[in-house]
Amino acid sequence: MLDRFKQFWQGVMLAPFINLFIRLGISPDVVTLVGTLGVSFGALFFFSQGWVWQGVLFITAFVFSDLVDGAMARKTGRKDDFGAFLDSTLDRVADGALFGGLALFFAWHHESHLYLVLSLVILVMGAVTSYARAKADHLGYDAKVGVAERPDRLVGMLVPAFFADLLDLWWLLYISLWALAAAATVTVAQRIWVVRRQALARAAAQG
């Protein structure tokens, strides 16, 4: 859903940073790594301390690296696939830190076993969502479907978490976690179903 805004962010809002990094000779891989380290530190440190809205602000400063590195690679005419591999791999690290940090928050500061478990469900289903697409691509299928891809999960957690802590409206985060857990699970099911249909069609065509 949020992919439609990617061109705006890369072409307008983040363009000055993209051009500056290129002029300075900074590698897109460095941007990817720094972004992942920033997001991971922000989530694991701030959330585990109970500082949720502060953590969201810190994380937001680094999360846009996911748009900057790809745009830099395209603008500089990079040909190899390592950047895409690194970006996808480190995205899993950042996602694990985000929802793992939220789980620590619910374990240590805002004690709730239910929302701790929901945070872990989203973490696991998010990883399976990405794995399902990667495995489908490897087998020659298209699994780019689903109601909760990575940008949706990030915004769907970070925005409610910020206002929940800042305004003491925790029901915003509770509703968001229920919605994200359901949507992430449905996304996994969608990808399995879509690949199954493609696999059966391929088998029938070969048969």
Side-chain angles (χ1 to χ4, degrees):
M1 180 181 67
L2 295 174
D3 279 348
R4 71 188 67 178
F5 299 109
K6 182 183 293 187
Q7 187 174 359
F8 169 75
W9 280 102
Q10 290 178 329
V12 180
M13 299 299 293
L14 298 176
F17 298 99
I18 293 168
N19 294 329
L20 175 62
F21 293 160
I22 292 174
R23 286 199 301 271
L24 293 175
I26 298 173
S27 167
D29 294 344
V30 171
V31 175
T32 302
L33 180 60
V34 170
T36 300
L37 292 174
V39 169
S40 300
F41 173 80
L44 293 174
F45 176 74
F46 285 94
F47 289 176
S48 67
Q49 299 299 312
W51 305 331
V52 176
W53 72 264
Q54 298 94 329
V56 171
L57 290 181
F58 187 92
I59 290 164
T60 301
F62 291 92
V63 80
F64 286 107
S65 66
D66 204 37
L67 297 176
V68 172
D69 54 7
M72 288 176 63
R74 288 189 295 273
K75 196 160 187 176
T76 56
R78 181 170 178 170
K79 302 297 184 182
D80 66 87
D81 295 329
F82 176 73
F85 167 79
L86 181 68
D87 184 59
S88 181
T89 301
L90 294 185
D91 279 350
R92 309 290 77 78
V93 175
D95 289 355
L98 278 170
F99 288 98
L102 194 61
L104 291 177
F105 168 73
F106 283 117
W108 295 347
H109 298 282
H110 198 88
E111 294 185 12
S112 171
H113 292 163
L114 173 60
Y115 292 102
L116 185 158
V117 169
L118 282 179
S119 300
L120 295 179
V121 167
I122 299 167
L123 189 161
V124 171
M125 289 301 175
V128 175
T129 294
S130 299
Y131 174 80
R133 179 178 171 184
K135 187 65 176 180
D137 288 344
H138 176 72
L139 296 173
Y141 301 116
D142 180 10
K144 192 177 180 181
V145 297
V147 295
E149 296 188 339
R150 185 173 188 262
D152 307 301
R153 294 194 301 272
L154 294 185
V155 175
M157 187 273 273
L158 292 173
V159 174
F162 176 81
F163 289 106
D165 190 28
L166 187 65
L167 303 177
D168 198 27
L169 299 174
W170 290 102
W171 58 269
L172 291 173
L173 184 56
Y174 299 157
I175 292 174
S176 175
L177 291 179
W178 278 108
L180 287 175
T185 303
V186 168
T187 297
V188 170
Q190 285 178 297
R191 295 192 170 185
I192 292 172
W193 177 254
V194 164
V195 172
R196 178 179 182 274
R197 289 178 60 187
Q198 294 175 49
L200 292 177
R202 179 187 291 181
Q206 294 173 346

